[in-house]
Amino acid sequence: MINWRAKEKIVQIILLLFAFSSIVFLTGIIIVLFKEGLPIFQKVGLIEFIFGKEWYPTYYPPEFGILPLLAGSLLVTVGAMLVAIPIGIFSAIFIAFILPERLKNVVKPVVELLGAIPSVIYGLFGMKILAPFLQDVFGLPIGLTALTAAIILGIMALPTIVSLAEDALSAVPSSYRDASLALGGTRWETISRVILPTATSGIITAIILGIGRVIGDTMTVLMVAGGAAVIPESFLVPVRPMTASIAAEMGETPVGSAHYHALFGIAIVLFLITLLFNIIADLAQESFKKKVTGR
Amino acid sequence: MIRSKLYLILFAVLLLFSNLIFASESLIIQGSSTVLPIVQKAAEVYMEKNPDVNISVRGGGSGTGIAALLDNVIDIANSSRFIKDEEVQSALSKGIYPVPHRIAIDGIAVVIHPDNPVDDLSMEEIKKIYTGEITNWKEVGGPDRQIVVISRDSSSGTFEVFEEIVLEGEKVTAGALLQTSNGGVINVVTSTKGAIGYVGLGYLSPALKAVKVNGVSPSKETIISGQFPIARPLFIFTNGWPEGITADFINFILSAEGQKIAEEQGYVPLF
């Protein structure tokens, strides 16, 4: 029988290997991404790739300008945030301060459950119910538009935003709240002038992680955004976000062709954008921790 | 303890040899989702007749299929387009000699919403609609309604054929909605009054209205006779001239029975 010290050591090594594995996967993904994607930048140039207005990858000569795709992604993301941020933050305030404890333990898990629904189901809902509805309301030639995608993605981002924002609000020490109330502040004054400012960076983290979910979503935008690679002039036209392009085109693209590298090029752009958002979220989280713990 | 390990080993050995025990030979096929229904059905019938053969058929797209053939991991690649020059170059450098076999013809029908009164478009008109020159149905004798152009994403085999035959290399308007499958096109066309799209002949249904092209409606007869202009051959590719079980299976698809299967799946047989 081996002694407990050796056992401890073995368990430690196994855990280390597992912990290390995600770093290995991440590194692997990054290496593949850049290895397959960088050739396109040599071919068309970074500026031309990002700011080119024409995405015609299979023509002769092919054109690899991803601006319409980038614009599609950004428009849908901004729209989704316009939907999700107000609803998300007000829900979080309501859950954190107004709802009785007993109901809070029901409502919060239900909101979080919204996040467990697979995106293809959101897509079906958007395609079959929301799109025809918007088509009627606005008298559009087609209901699959940036707005449709933005609304659905906004709903999809809600669980992340509500849950994390509520955590941030609840993490504000109750002494802050008590002090404000004791000084004669009303409940709304306490929430808007004391708690929200304290929790700002935590709420920013919540919003940014919500954005991360939206910008990376593929299935829903593939189903409801319409898929036209034009630079959108309004919310009511079809768009083709970056993720949808990659998913739609990869299957039939000859491996190793310029088009194939261009799709990986888009993936690099997408990866850098989400990485940036995650770094900002991390920094905001740090500053929030400092604020509430006073260190 | 020892006994359970023995069982485990026995099980692993069985697993290893299960192919040999249950099916002495196997074929792996991959590629175009357009060709898939024919080959899938043909494989089922073929396996019923030859229980010792195991055929697995996967989709994934023409490009994926040909790439897999080039990597020598499959026996047959399905493709709804001919192999491209760059793929041939890549094949030769890997020592692979792709051989095409024509197995059926696919007609591409231009479809509109059933409520749309337009029923005849010329190739020129279709081309102008898809390049964005014509944007309203009234320009082609329909109601005053904006045309919603539905296309397939630019790497699909159906798109490539449509582009070659109808657009003659010109660009589809950037405002076209790109769908990833025949099903996606049908979905949008049936729910959008002003839509125009194109699908394989096998996907026609009463929910869609197939327009006449240059006065010819799409059907098996008009495609075989060559009157209907938008048609394409479907291929399967093998590495080198097929032998043994691969050759036998291809002969089956090309036999009267195999061609009947292709027809049942909604395609046009070679004879």
Side-chain angles (χ1 to χ4, degrees), chain A residues 180-193:
Chain A
S180 166
L181 292 172
L183 287 169
T186 63
R187 240 166 126 186
W188 174 242
E189 281 167 346
T190 307
I191 291 172
S192 63
R193 300 212 190 143

Side-chain angles (χ1 to χ4, degrees), chain A residues 54 56-60 63 127-128 135 141-142 144 222 226-230 238 240 248-249 251-255 257 259, chain B residues 60-62 64 67 84 86-87 146 148 153-155 159 163 169-180 187-188 192:
Chain A
E54 303 274 325
Y56 283 107
T58 54
Y59 284 83
Y60 287 97
E63 286 178 81
M127 212 159 83
K128 290 294 175 198
Q135 189 176 356
I142 180 139
L144 303 173
L222 199 55
V230 275
R240 186 173 178 82
E249 294 166 28
E252 301 269 356
T253 307
V255 174
S257 63
H259 185 192
Chain B
S62 305
T64 319
K84 291 181 183 172
E86 46 193 302
E87 288 166 335
Q146 194 190 328
V148 178
D153 59 83
S154 56
S155 25
F159 170 80
E163 185 214 341
E170 283 192 41
K171 286 175 184 168
V172 170
T173 165
L177 276 70
L178 304 189
Q179 293 292 316
T180 53
N187 215 326
V188 180
T192 310

Side-chain angles (χ1 to χ4, degrees), chain A residues 3-276:
Chain A
N3 65 26
W4 66 270
R5 228 178 263 279
K7 262 190 193 165
E8 198 92 319
K9 197 78 199 160
I10 291 168
V11 171
Q12 201 183 341
I13 289 170
I14 291 172
L15 289 180
L16 178 84
L17 286 178
F18 279 119
F20 199 66
S21 66
S22 34
I23 298 175
V24 173
F25 294 144
L26 183 65
T27 328
I29 288 171
I30 293 172
I31 291 172
V32 171
L33 212 53
F34 280 84
K35 186 172 154 277
E36 300 287 5
L38 287 180
I40 194 67
F41 299 127
Q42 290 169 355
K43 199 176 154 106
V44 297
L46 187 62
I47 303 295
E48 183 61 36
F49 186 71
I50 292 178
F51 295 104
K53 290 183 183 133
E54 303 274 325
W55 176 252
Y56 283 107
T58 54
Y59 284 83
Y60 287 97
E63 286 178 81
F64 299 107
I66 67 163
L67 193 61
L69 316 179
L70 198 59
S73 279
L74 294 181
L75 184 72
V76 167
T77 307
V78 168
M81 285 305 113
L82 290 179
V83 173
I85 291 174
I87 301 181
I89 290 178
F90 285 116
S91 308
I93 292 173
F94 183 77
I95 293 172
F97 300 118
I98 299 168
L99 214 60
E101 194 69 21
R102 195 162 42 83
L103 282 174
K104 182 177 162 176
N105 292 336
V106 178
V107 173
K108 206 179 169 200
V110 169
V111 172
E112 281 164 359
L113 203 62
L114 209 57
I117 299 173
S119 53
V120 66
I121 295 178
Y122 282 103
L124 274 179
F125 172 78
M127 212 159 83
K128 290 294 175 198
I129 294 169
L130 187 63
F133 174 74
L134 292 175
Q135 189 176 356
D136 278 354
V137 170
F138 293 102
L140 301 173
I142 180 139
L144 303 173
T145 62
L147 179 68
T148 322
I151 293 175
I152 298 286
L153 288 175
I155 298 171
M156 287 171 67
L158 271 183
T160 311
I161 295 181
V162 173
S163 178
L164 292 176
E166 199 274 334
D167 288 345
L169 292 171
S170 301
V172 174
S174 56
S175 55
Y176 286 34
R177 189 177 169 187
D178 296 343
S180 166
L181 292 172
L183 287 169
T186 63
R187 240 166 126 186
W188 174 242
E189 281 167 346
T190 307
I191 291 172
S192 63
R193 300 212 190 143
V194 177
I195 293 173
L196 277 182
T198 318
T200 311
S201 39
I203 291 173
I204 288 174
T205 309
I207 291 171
I208 289 171
L209 291 177
I211 293 178
R213 161 126 210 220
V214 167
I215 204 163
D217 179 82
T218 306
M219 198 62 215
T220 316
V221 291
L222 199 55
M223 291 168 82
V224 304
V230 275
I231 296 171
E233 282 159 5
S234 81
F235 270 113
L236 297 175
V237 295
V239 292
R240 186 173 178 82
M242 294 186 285
T243 49
S245 277
I246 299 175
E249 294 166 28
M250 194 51 103
E252 301 269 356
T253 307
V255 174
S257 63
H259 185 192
Y260 175 84
H261 293 308
L263 292 179
F264 272 96
I266 299 176
I268 292 177
V269 173
L270 195 60
F271 175 75
L272 293 179
I273 292 175
T274 41
L275 187 70
L276 181 73

Side-chain angles (χ1 to χ4, degrees), chain B residues 34-50:
Chain B
T34 313
V35 186
L36 183 73
I38 307 176
V39 174
Q40 177 84 56
K41 187 71 195 169
E44 281 167 22
V45 177
Y46 186 84
M47 282 191 286
E48 235 165 70
K49 292 184 169 183
N50 306 279

Side-chain angles (χ1 to χ4, degrees), chain A residues 275-290:
Chain A
L275 187 70
L276 181 73
F277 279 135
N278 271 292
I279 290 171
I280 298 173
D282 239 33
L283 293 178
Q285 184 71 9
E286 281 303 307
S287 100
F288 176 63
K289 272 187 197 153
K290 265 185 206 149

